Amino acid sequence: MKAQISSFILHPLFFTPKIMSLSFDLSTPKQKQELVKSFFYHLFVGGFCLVMVYPLLWLFSSSLKPTDEIWRTVMQLIPSSITFDNYVNGWAGFGNISFTTFYQNSLIYTVLATLITVFFSGMVAYGFSRVNFIGRKFWFACMITTLMLPVQVVIIPQYIMFSNLKWLNTLYPLLLPRFGGQAFFIFMIMQFVRGIPKELDEAAEIDGCGKVGIFFRIILPLIQPALVTCAIFSFYWTWEDFLTPLIYLNSPKLYTVSLALRSFADPSANTDWGAIFAMSALSLVPVFIIFIFFQRYLVQGISTTGLKG
Amino acid sequence: MLLDFCILSDLNIPISKRKKMSIPNKKLSRRKFLQAAAIAGGGAVLTACAPAATPAPAAPAKPAEAKPAAPAVAKAVELRIAWWGGQDRHDRTIKVIDMYMKKNPNVKIAYEFAGFADHLTKMTTQAAGNSLPDIMQQDYAWIAEWAGRGLIIPLDNLATSGVLNFKDVSEDFLKGGRIGGKLVAVNLGANSQCFSCDVDDFKKAGLELPKDNWTWEDFEKTAMTMREKAGKWGGSGISGEQIWKSLYLSLGEWAYADNGYEIGYKDDTPFVNHLKMLLRLQKANAIPNRAEDLATFDGKSVEQQPLAIGKAASDSHWSNQVVAVQKAAGDTRTIKMVPLPRPTGGKSSNYIKPSQFFSVTRDSKAPEEAAKFIDYFTNDIEANDVLFAERGVPIANKVREAMTPKLGKAQKEMFDYVARVSKDVQPIRPADPAGTADLVKNVYNPQVIDAVMFEKIKPEDAAALLRKETNALLAKNKK
Amino acid sequence: MAVIPAKTASAKLAAPAQKRNFRQSNLIGYIFIAPWLLAFFAFTLMPMLASLYFSFTDYSSLDSLDKARWVGLQNFERMFTTDTKYIKAVSATFFYVIFAIPLRLIFALGLAMLLNTGRKGMGLYRAAFYAPSIVGGSIAVAVMWRQVFGTEGLVNGFLAFFGVPARTWLGNPDTAIWTLIVLAVWQFGSPMLIFLAGLKQIPTEFYEAASIDGASGIRKFISITLPLLSPVIFFNLIMQMISGLMVFTQAFIITGGAPLDTTLFYALYIYRRAFENFQMGYASAMAWVLLLIIAFFAAIVFRSSSQWVYYETKEEG
């Protein structure tokens, strides 16, 4: 009995009434066996979870410590006293520009970039994987090659180009390239599209659907798990990207959260580590919200794909 | 989509005003770029005949000397300024910029800031794009290279004409910003190396605080005793490239020759002895071992240093960092500063080094206005009340005097220290020649210090290797 | 694996109608990839060609472009002859890729399978497993990692239970690279999520049918999961390999290449030459050699894919 109870305590949804009502029904041996199995499952996965979320716990705990304690009790997970000063100091930002501005900028940049990237990546991926045209392999190879050149050596020519276009200090250099989709996502979606039986396309074609119709009506709904994954990645990668904003945005009023975070630390002078940890912790919140929100659609994919059989 | 547009245009408002100034030589640079691109296209295909296609070798960088323009009626001026730092520095600097704009309504200053590494990345990119800000914060380690390439311009004329007023500044403080006799950078705060000591730890170990003329031998004894009696490391931060330079400074030499073409000293022995001492101290656990140093301390922030977290009794660093050390260590501890130890028989191994500079760049359209702001930064008492010596001890006498009564505990210690040590210092040597960033990152740290401390190479061989590599790298400056 | 030679059959029946069809499909294809094509020509191609040009010059990142002097193959010569650090960077990178990437993929696939159940609470578990990946390359994670592997850190505390003596993992030349490998494996969230999305796409009927036939779990894994997931496995393998060979951030923020250059990864070395030593010409040359190295390995994996990757739709043309 002890085992079963702790299995529920370990269970993340322990408090939901639905589970409570289901849980104590141990009438048949099979259910009992199922419960034991479930217990070990949660014990293993849950235990593993702890290792995985350790950095988050550490980060949040450090962000609550008084500044002069952070380095002296750096491995101590539970702060001896709790303060929210770090959050207040950190949020105040620099000069008269607070994190409210940085969050606004980041959200605008990230949401726009993600929407653009996901849609156009899906479109291009469909073209590459479902339409047969001359030069397809060549262009695909070109696309993959663009992924292989380290960004460090293209920064400067790219900067000169955008600077000549007078696009510095605007969102154009950050957003316009996204209208081509991103090679990583295009390739990823391609792999998913290729997993969809072509008979579906053919059936739709017989029903009078063109390539465009097939893309919107058949492919897009079916690659939902892939699109959702793209959205999560794109959001996170854009959110944490500091290099592009650093190079192209000069005015601090346009800085993003990731860039602001990096403006806190100076190895050679006074650094408010408490504020860094506090703002780092806060900066994870939008990413988490997006993840929790979108990952539900990962499940839904199953029922949609299930229809095809 | 409408919303998107609003957002975009909203973000554009403050920019459009400044667009003009962010890309100075627009036409020129576009042509250059097209030219380069054409070469790139041709070069890729026709490697063989490519040399003919390369642009004619550019004339040696000869920046137009900033000329003081005739004083005109207050004309609208836009300036850009960029610096690196932490939150504290950003806050203070922004406030001073706002004060300056209030005083000079015709001047609009746009600012950009970043962390140290990001600042360098950004400035390098802007240098390549001909769009450097009017004023940029500079480090002593790069000014020779930047000045050599004509990226920052001489300010001597502006200093002579009084736009930059240095009447109240000692030449010792300015010297660091002179390259080849020309003032290319204005010191923002005076610094000197120091040993910060925890007074209580010394008491606990039954030791007196080191004297100002202590030697590395004294240091070794102190550190060993500290380990035995107080159970702490005696010191840290004594393997860096600064220590190498100071060692030879004390003996009347320097790491690099004045002309920047070769190594600056004849005898490897002092450096070999220092390395041997480091090995002895490491073995006795009287300093953090190299692995620990690299993993936790070396190059990490001041707050994480062994002294600040209470694991060492003393720590070698720059004098302005003591404020951060004291803050991290907490109010209960008392920290006193002493000069760097010297080799036995040597003179003082300290010198006054600018903590950082402001320079006016090649791309500035209004060097005189830029200089006016630097002058305000240097000489204005109100401005310095806000800046509050965060970048090091102010160089203007009356600013220092005005500030002295307002100082906190650690700052007072810093002011006193710099005043005390400047009575017995070596003159500052020419700024590090081009190529030394390469030397330190790629040779000194990994191939000399790491290799010796992990016992992969003998100190004698390491010193010889350093000599060979330094000479090889600096020889390129001869051209 | 079902290979339907439909295309070869249809190719023989080349009729005018089909020709028109083909022309039309050309048009449609280019319309679909037009966004990428435009962005490629507008924003990507020029900078890439410029860096290719730099690799044959002594261009310094501090100078404007017209100061770049053509030096022929000098940069490449330097790389392979006099620069001892280059070989170190190459071998450190390969060492990292050989261990980090397979381990990361195995973890990602294993956990994705484990989380691909109908059990409750999967959302939270997924979030937890994804957590290390989203703290990614921040300053905070660098600080934490140094502490965890520090002398008094968590790892030593844990190993003390088994009587393993404490050591400074990150600062030691023998172990430093391993801490970065562990970090890479620990951040398996992205490939895990892609695997998970791939698993979601496998129709459940296949498993149900197999269960009726009495297939074991392992059997189902080998004959259903692996082949149907192979496009995604292929994708993850290629992408992880590419990003592994270009590994930068972790070494940049945590070790900076130390100790003894054991964690001086290829991309980190490129950055150092380009932005710290201002040798953009040399850095570009290194970057293009890296591109060739990556392309070589990618080509091998792409070639091999016809042997083990199963697509519902056969590649044509």
Side-chain angles (χ1 to χ4, degrees):
Chain A
M1 201 58 197
K2 195 181 146 205
Q4 290 123 21
I5 289 168
S6 47
S7 125
F8 295 118
I9 292 171
L10 268 174
H11 202 295
L13 293 181
F14 174 55
F15 295 107
T16 56
K18 198 174 149 203
I19 300 233
M20 293 292 278
S21 59
L22 280 173
S23 51
F24 293 97
D25 184 11
L26 303 172
S27 40
T28 65
K30 195 163 182 216
Q31 274 164 321
K32 208 166 175 175
Q33 196 199 339
E34 200 42 50
L35 260 173
V36 172
K37 236 171 136 182
S38 180
F39 165 69
F40 280 109
Y41 178 84
H42 287 294
L43 186 73
F44 179 71
V45 179
F48 205 63
C49 263
L50 275 185
V51 179
M52 301 304 282
V53 296
Y54 175 82
L56 289 188
L57 297 179
W58 180 88
L59 186 60
F60 276 100
S61 128
S62 293
S63 73
L64 295 172
K65 290 177 185 173
T67 30
D68 58 347
E69 199 186 290
I70 287 177
W71 293 112
R72 275 177 281 158
T73 61
V74 74
M75 285 324 287
Q76 202 173 300
L77 217 46
I78 297 154
S80 60
S81 61
I82 286 181
T83 167
F84 288 96
D85 287 357
N86 295 328
Y87 285 86
V88 177
N89 294 342
W91 191 270
F94 317 101
N96 43 14
I97 311 161
S98 75
F99 265 75
T100 316
T101 310
F102 303 140
Y103 268 84
Q104 264 170 10
N105 296 338
S106 269
L107 282 173
I108 293 167
Y109 168 37
T110 311
V111 170
L112 287 180
T114 302
L115 289 177
I116 297 169
T117 306
V118 172
F119 177 79
F120 284 100
S121 298
M123 180 173 160
V124 175
Y126 174 73
F128 270 127
S129 53
R130 269 302 204 260
V131 187
N132 195 22
F133 57 90
I134 296 171
R136 192 180 57 151
K137 283 198 163 169
F138 173 75
W139 293 121
F140 178 74
C142 282
M143 186 183 79
I144 297 298
T145 311
T146 62
L147 287 172
M148 299 175 185
L149 193 66
V151 63
Q152 287 88 353
V153 296
V154 287
I155 292 175
I156 285 186
Q158 214 158 34
Y159 174 85
I160 294 172
M161 188 175 80
F162 284 121
S163 139
N164 286 339
L165 289 165
K166 290 200 163 188
W167 282 356
L168 297 185
N169 234 356
T170 70
L171 279 185
Y172 298 135
L174 284 68
L175 289 181
L176 282 185
R178 300 296 190 99
F179 278 95
Q182 286 190 310
F184 179 93
F185 297 127
I186 294 173
F187 185 23
M188 185 179 129
I189 297 172
M190 280 175 69
Q191 294 306 91
F192 280 84
V193 174
R194 285 165 159 179
I196 297 168
K198 202 155 191 191
E199 294 87 66
L200 284 178
D201 300 33
E202 280 153 12
E205 231 161 327
I206 290 163
D207 291 350
C209 224
K211 291 279 183 198
V212 180
I214 295 173
F215 172 62
F216 280 102
R217 290 197 205 148
I218 313 240
I219 303 294
L220 269 190
L222 285 180
I223 54 169
Q224 193 176 312
L227 293 180
V228 164
T229 316
C230 282
I232 293 173
F233 286 166
S234 174
F235 187 92
Y236 165 57
W237 286 339
T238 316
W239 186 264
E240 74 147 10
D241 172 36
F242 71 89
L243 194 63
T244 331
L246 171 79
I247 301 287
Y248 296 113
L249 304 178
N250 289 338
S251 165
K253 288 205 176 72
L254 302 178
Y255 281 13
T256 58
V257 172
S258 56
L259 191 51
L261 272 178
R262 292 176 64 92
S263 308
F264 269 111
D266 180 3
S268 64
N270 196 353
T271 301
D272 186 350
W273 284 99
I276 293 185
F277 293 146
M279 288 304 106
S280 299
L282 269 192
S283 80
L284 299 180
V285 172
V287 184
F288 250 101
I289 291 175
I290 291 291
F291 180 85
I292 302 276
F293 176 77
F294 272 108
Q295 65 97 24
R296 293 206 316 243
Y297 294 93
L298 276 183
V299 187
Q300 232 181 21
I302 232 174
S303 51
T304 336
T305 26
L307 286 178
K308 76 178 180 186
Chain B
M1 223 39 213
L2 186 66
L3 175 76
D4 300 356
F5 180 72
C6 294
I7 293 162
L8 265 174
S9 52
D10 183 40
L11 270 166
N12 267 323
I13 292 168
I15 306 147
S16 50
K17 288 187 196 151
R18 301 182 32 224
K19 264 185 185 168
K20 231 180 276 161
M21 34 164 294
S22 44
I23 314 108
N25 308 320
K26 183 222 139 196
K27 249 190 188 156
L28 186 69
S29 48
R30 174 178 291 169
R31 199 176 59 226
K32 275 179 207 159
F33 185 74
L34 288 177
Q35 184 190 15
I39 292 158
V45 186
L46 303 163
T47 322
C49 61
T54 45
K62 206 182 273 167
E65 184 125 333
K67 284 185 205 91
V73 242
K75 211 174 61 182
V77 184
E78 292 181 353
L79 293 176
R80 270 171 65 219
I81 176 169
W83 69 88
W84 79 81
Q87 191 187 24
D88 194 28
R89 180 174 303 163
H90 304 326
D91 283 346
R92 292 173 192 279
T93 314
I94 292 169
K95 212 168 165 192
V96 169
I97 291 172
D98 287 339
M99 283 160 61
Y100 185 78
M101 288 200 285
K102 220 172 205 175
K103 272 192 168 175
N104 304 276
N106 63 319
V107 182
K108 274 220 148 48
I109 301 181
Y111 50 83
E112 41 204 271
F113 51 77
F116 182 79
D118 290 349
H119 175 79
L120 186 56
T121 310
K122 195 171 177 164
M123 289 302 113
T124 307
T125 313
Q126 296 191 352
N130 290 320
S131 52
L132 284 169
D134 297 78
I135 305 172
M136 71 173 282
Q137 194 168 305
Q138 275 282 358
D139 189 81
Y140 196 56
W142 335 313
I143 53 168
E145 182 129 28
W146 283 64
R149 291 177 192 277
L151 294 165
I152 50 181
I153 59 174
L155 303 167
D156 299 277
N157 287 351
L158 292 167
T160 336
S161 71
V163 174
L164 270 170
N165 185 349
F166 294 132
K167 285 194 187 97
D168 197 25
V169 180
S170 139
E171 173 60 24
D172 287 344
F173 291 148
L174 287 178
K175 213 186 258 168
R178 294 195 196 279
I179 300 288
K182 289 197 169 134
L183 185 74
V184 293
V186 179
N187 185 355
L188 296 180
N191 248 348
S192 192
Q193 281 173 297
C194 69
F195 253 84
S196 283
C197 304
D198 185 312
V199 174
D200 295 326
D201 286 339
F202 275 79
K203 261 186 213 148
K204 211 155 113 196
L207 291 165
E208 276 179 29
L209 275 189
K211 296 209 173 53
D212 278 3
N213 61 353
W214 66 325
T215 64
W216 282 109
E217 271 176 48
D218 297 333
F219 171 77
E220 190 175 356
K221 276 183 218 144
T222 310
M224 297 287 192
T225 318
M226 202 58 79
R227 169 50 61 197
E228 274 168 38
K229 300 269 174 64
K232 284 191 176 188
W233 289 317
S236 68
I238 51 169
S239 55
E241 141 249 5
Q242 291 296 341
I243 301 286
W244 168 52
K245 292 176 183 167
S246 288
L247 211 55
Y248 283 101
L249 185 70
S250 163
L251 301 168
E253 292 175 297
W254 183 243
Y256 314 118
D258 283 358
N259 58 17
Y261 295 164
E262 58 193 345
I263 203 161
Y265 55 88
K266 300 211 171 52
D267 188 6
D268 283 341
T269 323
F271 186 51
V272 171
N273 287 342
H274 189 77
L275 290 174
K276 283 181 177 163
M277 179 193 78
L278 289 177
L279 281 171
R280 288 194 299 275
L281 287 166
Q282 171 173 268
K283 206 171 172 197
N285 196 19
I287 55 170
N289 65 44
R290 186 63 180 166
E292 185 125 25
D293 214 8
L294 285 172
T296 340
F297 308 123
D298 187 55
K300 312 302 180 299
S301 78
V302 186
E303 287 82 359
Q304 297 170 57
Q305 297 306 314
L307 173 68
I309 58 173
K311 283 186 170 179
S314 75
D315 188 13
S316 164
H317 51 77
W318 290 103
S319 52
N320 67 329
Q321 295 173 337
V322 74
V323 181
V325 171
Q326 176 78 64
K327 200 173 164 193
D331 282 338
T332 50
R333 289 167 62 192
T334 310
I335 287 166
K336 288 278 172 203
M337 297 157 88
V338 296
L340 217 54
R342 48 186 75 176
T344 315
K347 285 187 264 177
S348 162
S349 39
N350 277 74
Y351 64 103
I352 301 290
K353 184 196 151 231
S355 66
Q356 53 220 261
F357 307 91
F358 271 156
S359 288
V360 178
T361 71
R362 159 198 76 182
D363 298 337
S364 174
K365 285 274 193 291
E368 194 180 344
E369 288 294 335
K372 272 187 199 161
F373 177 75
I374 299 176
D375 181 71
Y376 176 75
F377 218 80
T378 310
N379 288 315
D380 192 86
I381 291 177
E382 269 175 57
N384 277 283
D385 273 346
V386 174
L387 295 170
F388 216 61
E390 189 272 330
R391 285 181 168 89
V393 176
I395 57 170
N397 290 327
K398 59 174 192 294
V399 169
R400 268 203 313 280
E401 279 158 26
M403 202 182 284
T404 310
K406 302 168 200 157
L407 298 173
K409 184 173 155 186
Q411 275 169 319
K412 192 169 178 319
E413 180 65 24
M414 166 175 96
F415 271 59
D416 289 349
Y417 173 74
V418 172
R420 195 171 89 229
V421 84
S422 40
K423 282 173 196 146
D424 182 21
V425 285
Q426 305 289 327
I428 188 168
R429 296 302 174 124
D432 293 351
T436 45
D438 188 349
L439 182 77
V440 171
K441 279 256 177 182
N442 294 323
V443 180
Y444 184 85
N445 286 328
Q447 285 175 253
V448 176
I449 298 297
D450 282 1
V452 168
M453 299 304 272
F454 288 117
E455 295 177 34
K456 306 273 180 204
I457 183 174
K458 279 195 297 207
E460 289 83 359
D461 298 339
L465 175 81
L466 182 60
R467 172 175 292 275
K468 189 181 131 224
E469 294 287 337
T470 310
N471 283 334
L473 265 171
L474 295 186
K476 286 178 199 153
N477 292 339
K478 268 186 224 169
K479 292 251 163 71
Chain C
M1 279 168 211
V3 178
I4 309 149
K7 201 62 201 173
T8 38
S10 64
K12 281 178 195 151
L13 301 165
Q18 242 162 353
K19 236 179 203 168
R20 198 176 57 229
N21 226 342
F22 186 62
R23 214 176 297 148
Q24 195 192 355
S25 113
N26 260 336
L27 181 69
I28 293 171
Y30 276 98
I31 289 175
F32 269 99
I33 70 158
W36 175 78
L37 220 48
L38 286 175
F40 174 70
F41 280 107
F43 306 121
T44 319
L45 187 61
M46 279 268 264
M48 279 182 81
L49 290 179
S51 78
L52 181 62
Y53 165 67
F54 294 159
S55 67
F56 295 101
T57 68
D58 65 352
Y59 177 55
S60 157
S61 21
L62 286 181
D63 285 337
S64 40
L65 292 175
D66 54 352
K67 296 238 179 86
R69 200 166 50 89
W70 186 271
V71 294
L73 294 174
Q74 224 171 22
N75 288 325
F76 299 92
E77 254 177 63
R78 174 178 169 199
M79 212 180 302
F80 296 118
T81 54
T82 51
D83 189 354
T84 49
K85 233 164 248 273
Y86 178 75
I87 303 300
K88 277 188 184 171
V90 171
S91 57
T93 310
F94 273 108
F95 188 88
Y96 170 87
V97 169
I98 286 167
F99 288 99
I101 302 311
L103 280 173
R104 186 186 221 182
L105 286 175
I106 288 166
F107 263 83
L109 182 57
L111 265 298
M113 306 245 333
L114 210 55
L115 293 188
N116 189 32
T117 69
R119 283 195 172 86
K120 293 274 172 190
M122 285 310 112
L124 278 173
Y125 282 151
R126 275 182 212 151
F129 286 129
Y130 191 53
S133 308
I134 66 167
V135 294
S138 68
I139 303 174
V141 84
V143 168
M144 183 210 64
W145 206 248
R146 281 201 290 268
Q147 297 300 336
V148 166
F149 281 94
T151 317
E152 285 155 28
L154 222 59
V155 171
N156 277 334
F158 177 73
L159 290 176
F161 275 124
F162 306 98
V164 180
R167 62 194 303 179
T168 312
W169 301 93
L170 254 172
N172 201 304
D174 303 326
T175 51
I177 197 169
W178 282 103
T179 66
L180 294 184
I181 291 173
V182 171
L183 178 62
V185 175
W186 182 64
Q187 296 185 321
F188 61 71
S190 307
M192 177 192 80
L193 220 54
I194 298 172
F195 278 136
L196 209 52
L199 288 170
K200 294 294 177 204
Q201 226 193 11
I202 299 176
T204 36
E205 300 91 272
F206 286 6
Y207 292 104
E208 281 152 21
S211 295
I212 294 166
D213 292 349
S216 67
I218 295 168
R219 182 82 216 147
K220 278 189 258 181
F221 175 73
I222 292 173
S223 49
I224 300 173
T225 314
L226 274 188
L228 287 180
L229 200 60
S230 61
V232 175
I233 296 176
F234 171 62
F235 170 79
N236 267 336
L237 183 65
I238 285 271
M239 283 303 145
Q240 292 297 322
M241 195 184 75
I242 293 178
S243 65
L245 284 165
M246 299 197 336
V247 57
F248 172 73
T249 316
Q250 271 72 11
F252 181 59
I253 59 172
I254 297 177
T255 59
L260 275 170
D261 293 330
T262 48
T263 61
L264 183 68
F265 293 136
Y266 204 124
L268 181 61
Y269 192 43
I270 290 178
Y271 171 83
R272 186 181 284 182
R273 286 299 181 194
F275 285 95
E276 288 175 0
N277 307 152
F278 312 118
Q279 298 163 359
M280 187 54 87
Y282 187 47
S284 297
M286 284 199 284
W288 276 88
V289 172
L290 179 61
L291 183 140
L292 291 181
I293 295 174
I294 297 176
F296 173 75
F297 286 106
I300 291 178
V301 180
F302 265 101
R303 273 283 153 85
S304 78
S305 73
S306 62
Q307 304 297 312
W308 60 276
V309 179
Y310 169 77
Y311 292 120
E312 283 282 339
T313 47
K314 184 66 190 143
E315 279 289 291
E316 307 148 345

